[in-house]
Amino acid sequence: MPLDPGVALATAARIADHLCRTAFVHNGRCTWCGMVQDSTDDSETLSYQTLSSDLYDGTSGVALFLGEAYVRVGDPRFRATAEAGIWRALDRVESVPRECRLGCYTGAVGIAYAGARLGHLIDRGDFIERSRAILGGIMEEFERPSLTDIISGTAGAIPLLLALAENLALPDLRLLALKLGEATIADASKDPDGWSWGSGPDGIDARRNLTGFAHGAAGIGWSLLELYKGSGESRFLDAALEAFRYEDHWFQPAEDNWPDFRWDIEAAESPPCMVAWCHGAPGIGLARLAALQVRDIAWIRRDAEAAVRASTRALANPDRSPDDNFCLCHGRGGIAEFLLRAGNVLGDQDARDLALATAAEGALLFGSAPESWPVGLSRGSTPSLMTGLAGIGYFYLGLSDPKLPSMLLPASCLDLEPLQACSRFGDEQL
């Protein structure tokens, strides 16, 4: 089933409209309510509450989507709600826990990125200056962080700091990114089978150092790869390849996938594999595609192709429920974005076609009723970016505009091949 770019944009716009209608606005600030998982609990403890301020499941992530939607749709309500949402996030940045202030998705660096990006998009110099002040405070109080991962640690901060150093004319941010890269290398467990990173006292408790993008070696390796591209210093490329080599030591050929070591099982058993951006083949595949664009290495290409096979099976599974969630973090949106990028980098048209068919199916089933979209929680809904409606809208916005920055490879352009208009699948069918 083909997907018209107009349908993709209309789908994103309907979600943005829903988010504007459900925002709680007061005194120029706004927030949203939704189901939120308790991040301090290993089980899925959910409660209905107002959002935090961060990118992952907070107001800055929702505001960022609305600002990007405003630029492409032109609805002034999208702009007004984005402004109110980002102001609330910027006002509450001090509430971010110290151990993840450098975080991309859960920290102050991610909030500053959202503020700066929105400031440039909608010509709000006050957002930019507030973001500069937040980043200046981080540099002044810098201390070696305890977290290394993409979600809350140094790996997520590095690519954002490189982008912000250029966009905000703050060269000291680039120096901070280099310092974080050096600390990341120093913190690695350097074993014969490759380099990996523990989660530390503030991270995830796992049997072994994790594979995967959100918390494991793939995301950290990708971050070091970005630092190599920004600095030209080969030790960061070498470290990235060591991270990927660690994952390959644990590769499970029968699954075309990598194990999820969060599971507490006997060492004699095979660890399970997840198929998502956060853990498993799609996120690991994104890291390998990025590496191929730097250096075409045979085993890296084999990894990327294996990730495509695992992701394809997950999306094409005939037993899959149509209500499987569409979120970016661990849903069909994130898997489909990986397959779209794989279609471009590897020249895999089948992967691209499956991703577009998945997107078209979602638009047809849920596009006319934004509140009906299945999100990345076991019950209820959330407006958030990485697990909820804003991220689903962001995915469709990216299908309409391939120059939209990716939220799965922070601060990187989606750089997807543009969709072609198709008269057989028009907006009236939604």
Side-chain angles (χ1 to χ4, degrees):
M1 180 186 297
L3 180 68
D4 191 290
V7 172
L9 186 60
T11 302
R14 290 194 186 102
I15 292 174
D17 173 75
H18 173 77
L19 293 172
C20 289
R21 288 187 286 107
T22 55
F24 294 89
V25 183
H26 175 70
N27 196 28
R29 309 293 191 267
C30 81
T31 189
W32 291 263
C33 285
M35 297 301 289
V36 176
Q37 182 173 347
D38 182 357
S39 60
T40 65
D41 195 324
D42 290 337
S43 62
E44 190 180 31
T45 302
L46 297 170
S47 59
Y48 187 76
Q49 57 185 267
T50 56
L51 300 190
S52 63
S53 299
D54 59 44
L55 272 180
Y56 188 89
D57 57 9
T59 55
S60 62
V62 181
L64 182 59
F65 161 62
L66 289 173
E68 299 282 6
Y70 164 72
V71 170
R72 292 157 179 84
V73 177
D75 190 322
R77 294 174 307 139
F78 299 176
R79 173 178 177 144
T81 311
E83 290 173 336
I86 196 62
W87 262 136
R88 183 177 187 273
L90 294 170
D91 282 349
R92 294 169 59 86
V93 73
E94 295 303 323
S95 66
V96 174
R98 173 169 289 275
E99 66 269 14
C100 57
R101 282 183 64 76
L102 278 167
C104 166
Y105 292 98
T106 63
V109 171
I111 296 171
Y113 167 76
R117 173 73 181 173
L118 281 171
H120 284 297
L121 284 173
I122 60 178
D123 194 23
R124 286 292 301 263
D126 48 351
F127 292 168
I128 295 172
E129 289 310 309
R130 180 72 179 108
S131 297
R132 288 171 64 96
I134 290 169
L135 294 165
I138 289 173
M139 286 188 288
E140 286 180 8
E141 65 183 28
F142 173 75
E143 60 185 52
R144 186 163 175 160
S146 61
L147 295 170
T148 313
D149 66 357
I150 282 284
I151 294 291
S152 300
T154 57
I158 286 169
L160 292 191
L161 293 172
L162 291 173
L164 290 166
E166 180 176 353
N167 294 337
L168 299 181
L170 289 174
D172 285 350
L173 294 179
R174 183 176 180 277
L175 298 178
L176 178 56
L178 290 167
K179 185 182 296 185
L180 294 179
E182 298 288 1
T184 301
I185 291 176
D187 287 343
S189 297
K190 301 177 176 69
D191 299 314
D193 298 317
W195 294 6
S196 61
W197 289 262
S199 299
D202 300 311
I204 294 175
D205 185 22
R207 292 175 56 228
R208 293 188 176 91
N209 291 348
L210 293 174
T211 67
F213 200 91
H215 300 284
I220 297 169
W222 170 77
S223 175
L224 293 168
L225 188 71
E226 290 296 295
L227 194 51
Y228 163 71
K229 289 163 58 179
S231 68
E233 298 186 21
S234 61
R235 66 184 183 281
F236 296 124
L237 174 60
D238 294 340
L241 295 177
E242 287 295 324
F244 302 155
R245 201 165 64 82
Y246 168 79
E247 290 180 321
D248 275 13
H249 175 71
W250 299 105
F251 178 68
Q252 297 186 7
E255 303 289 335
D256 283 321
N257 208 339
W258 293 259
D260 182 353
F261 289 129
R262 294 175 301 165
W263 291 87
D264 184 16
I265 62 175
E266 295 299 325
E269 299 181 27
S270 296
C273 300
M274 192 171 174
V275 184
W277 168 79
C278 52
H279 299 275
I284 292 172
L286 280 172
R288 303 305 196 267
L289 293 177
L292 284 176
Q293 292 176 294
V294 172
R295 184 172 297 177
D296 195 342
I297 301 172
W299 64 271
I300 294 289
R301 182 171 289 273
R302 286 196 299 270
D303 282 359
E305 292 168 348
V308 168
R309 291 192 296 271
S311 300
T312 296
R313 285 196 296 271
L315 281 192
N317 182 0
D319 297 325
R320 175 185 51 77
S321 168
D323 291 332
D324 283 354
N325 91 80
F326 262 84
C327 83
L328 290 178
C329 180
H330 47 271
R332 284 191 276 172
I335 300 172
E337 183 178 320
F338 161 62
L339 289 179
L340 285 171
R341 191 178 290 264
N344 292 344
V345 177
L346 301 177
D348 190 334
Q349 188 61 39
D350 289 341
R352 177 177 166 82
D353 289 346
L354 177 59
L356 294 178
T358 299
E361 179 188 30
L364 192 60
L365 289 174
F366 310 111
S368 60
E371 66 279 3
S372 69
W373 281 99
V375 300
L377 300 173
S378 61
R379 59 186 173 87
S381 187
T382 177
S384 70
L385 183 66
M386 294 304 293
T387 60
L389 294 176
I392 296 170
Y394 202 99
F395 168 67
Y396 282 94
L397 205 61
L399 292 176
S400 72
D401 181 3
K403 297 305 180 185
L404 184 73
S406 175
M407 290 315 303
L408 301 186
L409 297 172
S412 298
C413 180
L414 282 175
D415 196 24
L416 303 176
E417 183 179 328
L419 297 181
Q420 299 298 316
C422 174
S423 60
R424 291 194 293 128
F425 189 68
D427 184 54
E428 69 279 2
Q429 292 185 261
L430 288 180

